[in-house]
Amino acid sequence: MKRYSKYTAAAMVLGLAAMVSLSSCDNDMGSMEVPHEPYVVALGITSGGTTTYYVVTTDNLADSTKTIDALGKGIEQAGYRDYQQAGQTVFSIGGLGVTSATGIQRDADGFIQERGSFVFNITPIGFCQVDDHTMAAMELPTSTGKGGHLTFYSVDIQSLSLDNKVTTTAVAPMDDHQWPYVTGMQYAGGKLYVSYEPMNPNTFTSDYADTSFVAVYSYPDGKFVKLMKDTRFGNIGSWNAFNGFQKDEQGNLYAMSNTSLANGYSQSPKHSGFLRIKPGATEFDPDYTFDYQALTGQKVAHWLYLGNGKVFAEVTTHLDASPWSDADLKCCIIDLVNQTSVDVKGIPVHNGNGGRRFSCFYENGKVYTPIATQAGVYVYTTDVASASATKGAKVSASFVAGIFRL
């Protein structure tokens, strides 16, 4: 049940003030922890080329007088981390060589705690919720020479145990063109859907970006069912952002294609747009296509499903942006059903966090999004009904890796 914060940051990026080294443990009477604060925020602090993550709590994201920081509080986590919530657990998922995943939950006193940890053979490249009790996880070898089989797991959300390991499923046919780099995984209608980008592992070129690829597997036995292809749009999602799919209330999966230079593609042969997969289907819905780029002249970079067919998105405004820059983004409310897009007023054009999960939280008609500005990182609150935003709490961090409510 580790809960320890050692905040050491100097000359932080984005013009944040240099800070002295502070450390505290929740066993100390001087700890600044506050129990029962509802929001959980994962902070990335970069100093000297190394990023350390701190998971902290706050009682308000919209209060412009507040500063969210890790001084004297929080859970420190070394190594690359991504964060994802399921039920009353926030999963801290290792990446870029870190193979462990940790569950963060509240204890009886209202403090957040690391309640359990499990170690995969390699970094889990797919992780999604199946039901109220279970997550599905998938491992993919990093290259052809590292093995030719996928590994599927079931993860108990509450007990944080790894169950039902399947190691007999071949990577093929996902590797028919080049090695598959997974961009998303979702469960729907008894099946797991895995989107990926065929990419040259040596040059990182995307030579087959003109086709949408989704591999379908049965669950929980992890058997290959079918490789879905569609040429209306290019590859689904973007590498390491895990943004291929969003699931609606009926279990339909919406698949987003961006093939944007700013999000890691070496070429952009098709428009950015959306396809749909009905629950359990093994073909893209032929009756649905939404060419977002034709409508707006922009490409979708990151997105979050809000409900009733609407999503909150960051979109790339300059199609000739530098490779991997994730730059010149603005926020929009997109209606996937009526195929409309409305710009959000009040959020400045900004740069994103690059190839990682979208740090964004939605509740009660409000979207909370951390935005990096010249003055620092601030949480902007967007009223979905009016598509207007106000600047809220300041965040003393280089970036925010996740926002949740426990």
Side-chain angles (χ1 to χ4, degrees), residues 280-402:
T282 56
E283 297 285 350
F284 290 98
D285 186 347
D287 298 323
Y288 180 87
T289 182
F290 179 7
D291 191 330
Y292 184 79
Q293 190 171 330
L295 176 70
T296 65
Q298 299 153 357
K299 288 181 177 287
V300 180
H302 313 285
W303 59 324
L304 174 73
Y305 188 73
L306 306 177
N308 297 317
K310 292 184 177 180
V311 298
F312 181 86
E314 288 182 318
V315 302
T316 304
T317 60
H318 292 130
L319 302 186
D320 58 352
S322 300
W324 293 102
S325 62
D326 201 22
D328 298 320
L329 303 176
K330 70 176 181 181
C331 294
C332 302
I333 306 294
I334 300 173
D335 190 322
L336 297 171
V337 177
N338 296 311
Q339 301 195 10
T340 61
S341 181
V342 177
D343 292 350
V344 173
K345 301 179 291 292
I347 298 180
V349 173
H350 58 279
N351 294 339
N353 288 338
R356 61 179 310 122
R357 297 174 194 267
F358 191 22
S359 177
C360 192
F361 176 71
Y362 171 72
E363 68 171 355
N364 300 325
K366 300 290 192 296
V367 179
Y368 301 93
T369 315
I371 302 294
T373 71
Q374 289 185 343
V377 180
Y378 291 86
V379 178
Y380 280 76
T381 303
T382 300
D383 177 73
V384 175
S386 63
S388 60
T390 56
K391 185 166 68 173
K394 186 173 184 177
V395 185
S396 287
S398 306
F399 61 89
V400 176

Side-chain angles (χ1 to χ4, degrees), residues 105-246:
Q105 300 172 345
R106 288 199 185 275
D107 63 16
D109 296 320
F111 293 101
I112 57 171
Q113 299 273 7
E114 289 183 333
R115 303 290 296 202
S117 182
F118 41 93
V119 179
F120 296 93
N121 294 323
I122 55 178
T123 298
I125 204 64
F127 201 61
C128 68
Q129 190 166 356
V130 173
D131 53 35
D132 291 341
H133 308 286
T134 309
M135 300 288 285
M138 185 186 76
E139 293 174 353
L140 168 71
T142 55
S143 64
T144 306
K146 301 293 185 179
H149 288 84
L150 304 169
T151 301
F152 291 95
Y153 299 89
S154 293
V155 180
D156 188 288
I157 293 172
Q158 184 60 34
S159 68
L160 305 173
S161 59
L162 287 178
D163 303 314
N164 194 47
K165 181 177 179 181
V166 177
T167 61
T168 55
T169 306
V171 173
M174 282 200 294
D175 60 350
D176 279 355
H177 299 297
Q178 291 173 328
W179 197 249
Y181 286 77
V182 171
T183 61
M185 186 170 86
Q186 265 290 6
Y187 172 86
K191 295 181 176 65
L192 289 175
Y193 294 85
V194 179
S195 60
Y196 65 95
E197 172 190 354
M199 189 160 58
N200 187 307
N202 299 312
T203 63
F204 299 105
T205 55
S206 41
D207 300 325
Y208 299 90
D210 61 350
T211 301
S212 300
F213 297 100
V214 172
V216 186
Y217 301 90
S218 57
Y219 182 83
D221 56 8
K223 293 182 178 179
F224 174 74
V225 176
K226 188 174 182 180
L227 179 60
M228 298 168 51
K229 299 180 182 180
D230 199 297
T231 57
R232 285 175 287 178
F233 295 111
N235 294 173
I236 300 300
S238 52
W239 179 60
N240 213 47
F242 302 103
N243 56 354
F245 301 113
Q246 299 289 346

Side-chain angles (χ1 to χ4, degrees), residues 19 58 60 63-70 73 393-396:
M19 297 184 179
T58 186
N60 197 312
D63 185 350
S64 61
T65 68
K66 290 187 68 70
T67 297
I68 301 169
D69 58 44
K73 57 183 179 289
K394 186 173 184 177
V395 185
S396 287

